[in-house]
Amino acid sequence: MSWLPMLGLTSLPHLGGLYGGYVTRKQVKTWYTTLNKPSWRPPNAAFPIVWTTLYTGMGYGSYLVWKECGGFTEDAVVPLGFYALQLALNWAWTPIFFGAHKLKMALIEIVMLTGAVGATMVSWYPVNRTASLLLTPYLAWLCLATSLNYCIWRDNPDEDEKEE
């Protein structure tokens, strides 16, 4: 049964990903197609592949930190607290962007998410270097996603006002 925490913590981020996929699925074919987007954006088919990989890496990293700290102990409060914060922010972005169509709010939120991931990496590094490094592709992807969110917000200035 020692594999159960590893499986559970590695799988946890995917729960928000499944919900995000549900929210996104209809919007990608309707509302998202009406937006002005930069030519350099990744193809829509790349997103589920990338997010599956990133969620697995961050989940496994959280397991490594959890294990190194001896479970949910006092030593784990800061590193797993930052992890929980970034995970909540991660899960919140999709309903804001795709569900509520709030481009500016989503941009503010993804900037906070990127900062929270950086803080998570810093707090994980002294606990487990591998876990911290597993977040590197995630941070890189968030930089791309933040740039994409910014360009979509900039190039669709009336979108936030349409919904009000």
Side-chain angles (χ1 to χ4, degrees):
M1 291 297 204
S2 62
W3 53 268
L4 232 86
M6 182 194 59
L7 184 62
L9 290 169
T10 301
S11 300
L12 177 64
H14 293 279
L15 296 177
L18 291 170
Y19 175 70
Y22 174 76
V23 170
T24 304
R25 187 204 257 109
K26 291 181 260 181
Q27 299 299 319
V28 165
K29 297 175 185 169
T30 56
W31 170 76
Y32 190 67
T33 61
T34 68
L35 298 175
N36 297 314
K37 296 174 284 298
S39 60
W40 49 264
R41 79 183 190 286
N44 291 342
F47 287 86
I49 297 164
V50 168
W51 279 111
T52 299
T53 304
L54 296 176
Y55 281 142
T56 301
M58 76 173 77
Y60 185 69
S62 74
Y63 164 72
L64 293 175
V65 170
W66 175 86
K67 182 178 166 189
E68 195 71 35
C69 290
F72 295 110
T73 63
E74 191 173 325
D75 290 341
V77 169
V78 171
L80 293 181
F82 276 127
Y83 175 70
L85 172 64
Q86 73 79 28
L87 194 57
L89 287 168
N90 178 296
W91 290 349
W93 183 86
T94 299
I96 295 168
F97 187 91
F98 283 102
H101 303 171
K102 297 295 184 187
L103 305 178
K104 184 178 182 180
M105 187 184 304
L107 178 59
I108 292 166
E109 200 275 356
I110 201 169
V111 168
M112 293 186 331
L113 167 59
T114 304
V117 171
T120 302
M121 291 177 74
V122 168
S123 73
W124 282 14
Y125 195 83
V127 176
N128 188 298
R129 183 175 180 210
T130 300
S132 181
L133 294 174
L134 280 169
L135 296 181
T136 305
Y138 178 32
L139 187 62
W141 181 261
L142 284 176
C143 291
L144 174 80
T146 302
S147 300
L148 181 58
N149 192 153
Y150 169 76
C151 290
I152 292 173
W153 169 71
R154 179 197 65 202
D155 296 342
N156 297 276
D158 298 325
E159 189 60 34
D160 282 327
E161 286 78 37
K162 286 180 190 175
E163 299 299 320
E164 294 174 359

